[in-house]
Amino acid sequence: MGLAIFDLDNTLIGGDSDHAWNEFLVARQCVDGARYRSENDRFHRDYQRGELNIAAYLDFALEPLARLPRNQLDALHRQFMQEVIDKIWLPQAEALIHRHRSLSHHIMIITATNRFVVEPIAKRLGVDSLLASELEEIDGCFTGRPRGEPCYREGKPIRLQQWLEQNPQHQGKVQWFYSDSINDMPLLQTVEHPVAVDPDQYLRLEAEKRNWPIISLRCEAAE
């Protein structure tokens, strides 16, 4: 038995669902287009450099979820899945999940993106567990505030440990973690089998230095 853990954005899908969702809101004129796109791109560049202020980003990203009615958000997300996520779907990611499942591994996604954006994607991938940045919700409406530890950088091993304490049957299982991002070094360094997937330039250097496997889910051959 084992625990196969996956990052989501640019790992199991061929893009960043968080950045893409915000772009989708701009395209649907649900937010102030020019300002929102500029801030979205700035935060995305910070993330790529490993310099994202997660608290400031969540304030930015969760604000529209508090302002728009829930039924409108749900309808928008269905469109988002069809118009955006379908285009960046990776069949080889599904195949990798299937290989772990055939070995009776528990399949988990752990992602910094908020649960509203990623939960339908995780359900479509058929994973067993999802750890994401959580949103405060009151009477079925989002407040625009995060809840608990953001699932980002050092927050990922914290959230995983909390989950293991709540699910002791998975304690001591062999762990794999697949990620594309240097931001996931805190968790990559704690598992038995870290794997770099189509890694960014910073993670590639670390993976090569540490002799971690480097694979691609976007082309036929693994490196």
Side-chain angles (χ1 to χ4, degrees), residues 31-218:
V31 291
D32 177 3
R35 182 194 67 82
Y36 202 81
R37 175 175 284 126
S38 175
E39 285 294 280
N40 190 37
D41 289 344
R42 179 178 67 82
F43 281 120
H44 190 55
R45 290 191 298 270
D46 289 348
Y47 174 83
Q48 291 174 320
R49 291 193 300 266
E51 299 173 357
L52 179 66
N53 180 326
I54 188 62
Y57 176 70
L58 288 173
D59 285 345
F60 164 79
L62 300 186
E63 185 275 331
L65 303 184
R67 183 167 41 80
L68 297 172
R70 185 61 183 267
N71 61 349
Q72 182 181 356
L73 286 171
D74 291 339
L76 284 167
H77 202 293
R78 288 191 291 272
Q79 291 180 310
F80 175 68
M81 291 290 291
Q82 295 172 356
E83 298 174 19
V84 179
I85 298 301
D86 282 356
K87 294 178 181 178
I88 57 175
W89 203 253
L90 297 177
Q92 289 191 75
E94 290 184 292
L96 178 58
I97 289 173
H98 178 75
R99 287 199 294 275
H100 277 284
R101 190 173 298 285
S102 71
L103 297 170
S104 298
H105 294 164
H106 187 95
I107 311 299
M108 172 185 285
I109 286 175
I110 184 164
T111 175
T113 302
N114 72 75
R115 179 174 289 272
F116 172 76
V117 171
V118 299
E119 191 162 43
I121 304 172
K123 286 181 178 178
R124 180 171 168 182
L125 285 165
V127 303
D128 302 305
S129 300
L130 170 64
L131 298 181
S133 292
E134 298 292 347
L135 309 82
E136 184 181 72
E137 189 173 348
I138 298 176
D139 297 330
C141 298
F142 298 122
T143 67
R145 294 186 293 271
R147 178 170 59 83
E149 179 75 32
C151 204
Y152 175 66
R153 291 186 67 90
E154 292 79 6
K156 285 192 176 182
I158 291 172
R159 291 285 305 279
L160 177 61
Q161 183 57 38
Q162 291 172 345
W163 183 86
L164 288 169
E165 291 170 0
Q166 296 166 3
N167 297 271
Q169 69 273 23
H170 296 289
Q171 291 273 12
K173 285 187 177 180
V174 176
Q175 297 173 357
W176 289 259
F177 180 41
Y178 296 83
S179 177
D180 72 292
S181 174
I182 191 64
N183 291 294
D184 284 335
M185 281 297 294
L187 183 52
L188 284 162
Q189 293 178 94
T190 70
V191 300
E192 293 95 328
H193 299 289
V195 183
V197 181
D198 298 294
D200 63 37
Q201 59 179 319
Y202 309 108
L203 180 56
R204 179 177 293 276
L205 289 173
E206 287 292 334
E208 290 172 346
K209 182 171 70 176
R210 297 165 186 263
N211 293 315
W212 290 347
I214 300 174
I215 68 170
S216 176
L217 298 179
R218 308 190 193 201

